[in-house]
Amino acid sequence: MLTGANVVLPTGTVANGRLAVDGRHITATAPAGAALVDVTGHWLVPGFVDIHNHGGGGASFSGTPEQILTAIRTHRQHGTTTLVASTVTDEMDLLVGQAGLLSELAEQGEIAGIHFEGPFISPCRKGAHSEALLRDPDPAEVRKLIDAARGRATMVTLAAELPGGIDSVRLLAEHGVIAAIGHTDASYEQTVEAIDAGATVATHLFNAMPALNHRAPGPIAALLEDERVTVELINDGVHLHPAALELAFHHAGRDRVAFITDAMDAAGIGDGRYMLGPLEVEVSEGVARLVEGGSIAGSTLTLDRAFRRAVTVDRLSVEDAVTALSANPARLLGLSDRIGSLEPGKDADLVLLDADFEVKGVMRHGAWVVAPQLA
């Protein structure tokens, strides 16, 4: 039984609240003989859910099983209790092989699924993806990746304006895989067509797509205005100006925003040289850029930092930040019956934060990943 915290529930925040955990789950009443943990002055929020993450702790999701587990554990230390592993553009045979490996970890419950970011993206908006390895989203090729994931494919990012793009969006929707519009040079009209075909996510809105223009509004306007679309935002102070984040929240509303990390190997580690797929990245002062060309190459963000920035810099309410970091991504994954909020019957996935919103404890499935630090 955790007592004395500000407990953030779907209905609002309860001051001096209590939260009971029995085994893996949150319960309505404390089990007999429950240990009492006084967390007065702290915040209790649901475990964070990251739907777009390439790695951390010096390891990537394109690596070996040991490296993948290192990345997972790094982000758990920062409050991410549910994570979708994102790949980066590479040779198709390598992506197929990696999908098989990641699907095994998904079956073991280590990750919530697989996100394929590339190779079906626009060379005009490739960002930190190898142009030589990009290809059009041929539905047969998209299907090859879905099949390789053995039912664990969660999301595919593609540029729907490319040949085969709309048909691939339909294919993904038919197979229950999220079609995400990103790394795209699509027009407003092409983006609307993709949404009507079944696309439901904007991959890191504003980044790797044409800017909003008053005569050619492009994908940003189409993605923001449609209530069927959830928009990803990288809230690290590098990828987005605060005004852009405010615009997205104001126009899309709190129920259509999902904070992501788009993290690469350096998350949780620091500056240095790293690899992102086949490309070399230099991280300096926490900002990751390609050695060749200087394009931003993912982030070094962890979701606890995104949360802290949201409430201390962007001046979002704690409740809105929780919605963007937990409830909305859980809903997207179809897991809101198990995670994303602090309610009886759901998994005991939670983050304990102090008054400055620093992580002081992380629980996953009822077990402490980071034991409470209350001194």
Side-chain angles (χ1 to χ4, degrees), residues 171-186:
L171 172 73
L172 292 167
E174 288 168 3
H175 284 79
V177 179
I178 296 167
I181 303 303
H183 289 277
T184 178
D185 206 39

Side-chain angles (χ1 to χ4, degrees), residues 41-237:
H42 291 70
W43 293 84
L44 274 178
V45 301
F48 306 141
V49 182
D50 195 353
I51 60 171
H52 188 156
N53 186 317
H54 296 279
S60 82
F61 294 120
S62 298
T64 65
E66 293 74 19
Q67 290 169 330
I68 292 167
L69 288 171
T70 293
I72 293 168
R73 290 164 183 156
T74 296
H75 285 281
R76 283 183 187 164
Q77 295 284 320
H78 293 272
T80 297
T81 52
T82 302
L83 182 150
V84 173
S86 301
T87 64
V88 68
T89 296
D90 213 324
E91 300 283 358
M92 278 297 291
D93 287 347
L94 292 175
L95 289 174
V96 165
Q98 198 64 21
L101 190 158
L102 289 169
S103 69
E104 293 178 8
L105 290 169
E107 289 162 8
Q108 296 165 16
E110 297 290 350
I111 59 174
I114 308 166
H115 165 217
F116 298 100
E117 188 180 24
F120 311 116
I121 61 176
S122 171
C124 301
R125 305 287 175 177
K126 64 183 183 296
H129 292 255
S130 172
E131 185 170 353
L133 297 174
L134 300 182
R135 58 181 67 207
D136 291 337
D138 179 346
E141 296 279 83
V142 174
R143 179 63 186 267
K144 186 184 296 185
L145 289 184
I146 296 174
D147 289 346
R150 302 201 301 263
R152 301 295 179 167
T154 297
M155 182 163 64
V156 176
T157 291
L158 51 76
E161 76 276 10
L162 296 176
I166 297 298
D167 286 340
S168 290
V169 169
R170 292 194 183 100
L171 172 73
L172 292 167
E174 288 168 3
H175 284 79
V177 179
I178 296 167
I181 303 303
H183 289 277
T184 178
D185 206 39
S187 66
Y188 173 87
E189 292 76 14
Q190 289 169 325
T191 307
V192 168
E193 184 181 7
I195 297 168
D196 287 340
T200 56
V201 166
T203 294
H204 42 54
L205 186 74
F206 299 109
N207 299 117
M209 59 183 62
L212 190 64
N213 181 281
H214 62 295
R215 291 195 181 93
I220 294 173
L223 294 163
L224 277 177
E225 73 181 7
D226 199 300
E227 293 184 355
R228 294 170 289 182
V229 176
T230 298
V231 298
E232 295 181 348
L233 297 176
I234 308 172
N235 191 25
D236 62 352

Side-chain angles (χ1 to χ4, degrees), residues 57-59 264-267 269-276 279-283 291 300:
M264 45 80 71
D265 301 27
I269 292 292
D271 293 353
R273 288 278 179 114
Y274 300 86
M275 297 299 295
L276 184 61
L279 302 178
E280 191 172 14
V281 175
E282 175 79 30
V283 178
V291 171
T300 62

